[in-house]
């Protein structure tokens, strides 16, 4: 029998290990780097290192006119393109004191909710994948494809729709589109039970997520966390209900805000799933209303050169991932003097510094994935 002794140095037992997670390809959890300090398999501290996808969009806003900035704002959260556009045009319309035609208001509400479902389906499918369950992602992409067809039909785009305009929408809806959209919503709803049974009913999934990564309500308020992540920690706040915009004031009987108190990974997933069911119900209500509306304009006629009056305003919306706000400052020119973007993921991801310390490395992916972020929405 041979014994081999390996010298590791006297300081090894008291030396912490620094582990870099990422940066990776954007289609994983992206060009986000986590700098972890470990004590064995337990995380002592975590620092999100951001900026690898920063493209200076806020500075570019100042060199583009009010029509062109819609394209720039479209892209930071690439799963919520329609909602991103919406915040910009609402800010400009508020500065102009512009009333939008009723058909445009209801159509915007419908498309915002369809876009919300598309966003949530991606995370409902990808989160189980990160925990070892490959099947839900195939279901998620099938449901997404049904909705992508109707979104692509009206806008021509699959991800970046560019359908909002200051004063309304680019075009009216194609003939028969409302019926096709209603059918797509019904098909998606009929298959949503997959996530209740296949995912939430899976004891392995529940074992990996229940009681893991508990986010306290105080931390939510301290870091400005919003959206389904905040509501999973008992923060009962949703702009669509508490400060209605578009047609949400008339949809309060349909809008059910998903709330959980546990604040763990499982609660965040449950909030996301319940919110998807609510968005499908809201989409149906919007379709019913659009069927009743008489024919009319879908947008306002604009001057060739659009200038916002001097002043400032803040427009925020309940984006799929949380609060999305635009602070617009105008000097009366055709370009914004300043346009500051407050994105949901930027605030949400900062909570990792509180969530990860004290947890095991094995739970890090479960916690990271449950924050439902898009890296472009962090870096913008």
């Amino acid at each position: 029998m041979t014994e081999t002794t390996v010298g590791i140095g006297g300081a090894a037992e008291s030396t912490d290990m620094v582990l870099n997670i990422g940066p990776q390809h954007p289609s994983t959890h992206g060009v986000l780097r986590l700098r972890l300090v470990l004590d064995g398999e337990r995380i002592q501290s975590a620092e999100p290192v951001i900026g690898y996808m920063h493209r200076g969009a806020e500075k570019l806003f100042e060199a583009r006119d009010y029509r062109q900035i819609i394209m720039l704002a479209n892209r930071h959260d690439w799963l919520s393109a329609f909602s991103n556009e919406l915040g910009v045009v609402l800010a400009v319309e508020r500065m102009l004191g512009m009333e939008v035609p009723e058909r445009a208001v209801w159509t915007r509400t419908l498309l915002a909710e369809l876009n919300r479902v598309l966003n949530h389906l991606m995370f409902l499918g990808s989160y189980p994948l990160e925990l070892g369950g490959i099947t839900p992602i195939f279901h998620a992409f099938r449901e997404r494809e049904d909705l992508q067809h109707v979104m692509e039909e009206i806008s021509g785009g699959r991800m970046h729709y560019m359908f909002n305009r200051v004063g309304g929408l680019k075009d009216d809806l194609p003939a028969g589109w409302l019926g096709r959209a209603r059918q797509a919503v019904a098909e998606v709803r009929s298959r949503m039970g997959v996530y209740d049974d296949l995912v939430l009913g899976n004891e392995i999934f529940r074992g990996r997520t229940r009681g893991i990564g508990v986010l306290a309500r105080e931390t939510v308020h301290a870091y400005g966390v919003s959206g389904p992540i905040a509501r999973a920690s008992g923060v009962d706040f949703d702009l669509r209900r508490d400060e209605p915009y578009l047609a949400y004031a008339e949809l309060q009987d349909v809008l059910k805000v998903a709330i959980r108190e546990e604040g763990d990974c499982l609660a965040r997933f449950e909030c996301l799933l319940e919110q998807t069911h609510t968005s499908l119900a809201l989409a149906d209500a919007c379709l019913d209303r659009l069927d009743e509306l008489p024919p009319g304009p879908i947008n306002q006629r604009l001057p060739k050169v659009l200038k916002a009056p001097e002043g400032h305003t803040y427009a925020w919306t309940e984006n799929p991932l949380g609060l999305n706000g635009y602070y617009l400052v105008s000097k009366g020119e055709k370009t914004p003097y300043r346009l500051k973007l407050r994105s949901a993921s930027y605030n949400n991801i900062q909570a990792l510094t509180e969530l990860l310390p004290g947890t095991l490395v094995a739970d890090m992916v479960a916690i990271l994935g449950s924050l439902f972020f898009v890296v472009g929405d962090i870096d913008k």
Side-chain angles (χ1 to χ4, degrees):
M1 181 176 179
T2 304
E3 287 187 5
T4 304
T5 302
V6 179
I8 57 173
E13 293 183 3
S14 61
T15 301
D16 296 325
M17 176 181 179
V18 178
L19 180 65
N20 281 294
I21 308 293
Q24 307 289 347
H25 188 274
S27 66
T28 61
H29 267 309
V31 263
L32 170 72
R33 174 181 159 215
L34 287 179
R35 184 180 180 275
L36 307 179
V37 178
L38 307 179
D39 180 9
E41 293 188 25
R42 199 164 293 278
I43 299 172
Q44 287 191 320
S45 67
E47 177 192 359
V49 182
I50 65 173
Y52 292 97
M53 284 192 73
H54 182 63
R55 59 193 175 91
E58 291 176 330
K59 200 65 185 171
L60 291 172
F61 288 149
E62 300 171 14
R64 305 289 188 275
D65 67 35
Y66 287 105
R67 293 178 176 90
Q68 295 168 327
I69 61 174
I70 300 173
M71 180 275 295
L72 290 171
N74 181 289
R75 285 160 163 72
H76 57 90
D77 174 1
W78 48 74
L79 294 177
S80 311
F82 186 87
S83 301
N84 300 340
E85 303 169 10
L86 189 60
V88 172
V89 296
L90 288 176
V92 179
E93 287 162 5
R94 185 177 297 175
M95 290 285 284
L96 294 168
M98 180 180 290
E99 290 288 333
V100 176
E102 189 178 12
R103 280 177 58 79
V105 171
W106 281 95
T107 307
R108 279 177 173 179
T109 310
L110 167 63
L111 297 178
E113 291 305 316
L114 292 180
N115 192 200
R116 193 182 309 274
V117 176
L118 284 167
N119 175 290
H120 291 354
L121 282 171
M122 177 63 79
F123 290 109
L124 291 172
S126 65
Y127 185 51
L129 179 65
E130 290 160 2
L131 300 180
I134 193 172
T135 307
I137 193 72
F138 297 118
H139 291 279
F141 270 88
R142 180 182 63 181
E143 327 313 352
R144 278 175 54 85
E145 202 62 32
D146 288 338
L147 296 176
Q148 287 281 30
H149 282 317
V150 294
M151 295 292 281
E152 187 177 6
E153 182 183 354
I154 60 165
S155 67
R158 287 180 59 82
M159 287 186 69
H160 303 298
Y161 305 111
M162 275 303 297
F163 199 56
N164 275 291
R165 295 292 186 273
V166 176
L169 295 168
K170 176 176 177 286
D171 295 309
D172 206 343
L173 302 174
W177 184 87
L178 290 176
R180 290 188 289 277
R182 190 183 297 277
Q183 182 180 358
V185 170
E187 288 177 357
V188 171
R189 181 187 286 105
S190 70
R191 297 195 289 257
M192 286 300 294
V194 166
Y195 304 98
D196 292 307
D197 303 331
L198 188 65
V199 182
L200 286 180
N202 186 293
E203 62 184 32
I204 299 175
F205 178 83
R206 299 183 77 86
R208 289 293 309 276
T209 55
R210 187 194 286 116
I212 303 298
V214 177
L215 182 62
R217 186 180 307 189
E218 296 75 20
T219 307
V220 168
H221 292 307
Y223 283 85
V225 175
S226 59
I229 302 171
R231 291 190 282 273
S233 295
V235 178
D236 189 1
F237 181 72
D238 189 315
L239 271 181
R240 297 172 296 171
R241 181 199 62 196
D242 301 323
E243 195 175 308
Y245 57 99
L246 295 182
Y248 289 114
E250 299 181 47
L251 293 168
Q252 295 301 304
D253 55 335
V254 184
L255 177 59
K256 310 297 182 191
V257 179
I259 303 293
R260 295 291 186 277
E261 296 294 335
E262 295 83 357
D264 56 8
C265 295
L266 181 60
R268 291 191 277 274
F269 187 86
E270 287 176 342
C271 275
L272 201 73
L273 179 55
E274 189 176 331
Q275 193 164 290
T276 308
H277 285 288
T278 299
S279 290
L280 291 170
L282 287 167
D284 267 338
C286 291
L287 287 165
D288 292 339
R289 179 66 172 153
L290 284 167
D291 276 334
E292 298 169 359
L293 287 178
I298 201 76
N299 50 37
Q300 294 275 27
R301 293 185 65 87
L302 299 177
K304 187 173 182 181
V305 178
L306 181 63
K307 294 183 179 181
E310 188 170 347
H312 60 92
T313 190
Y314 183 70
W316 58 343
T317 56
E318 186 70 42
N319 264 35
L321 298 180
L323 296 179
N324 190 75
Y326 293 97
Y327 179 58
L328 171 63
V329 181
S330 171
K331 295 283 186 165
E333 301 296 330
K334 66 177 182 179
T335 62
Y337 176 75
R338 186 77 174 89
L339 187 57
K340 175 75 175 75
L341 166 59
R342 187 264 191 230
S343 61
S345 298
Y346 181 82
N347 285 71
N348 292 354
I349 204 66
Q350 305 306 315
L352 283 171
T353 58
E354 301 281 346
L355 273 177
L356 289 179
T359 63
L360 296 171
V361 176
D363 291 328
M364 185 269 298
V365 173
I367 297 170
L368 184 65
S370 72
L371 292 187
F372 312 128
F373 62 88
V374 169
V375 180
D377 200 42
I378 301 170
D379 290 340
K380 52 184 189 290

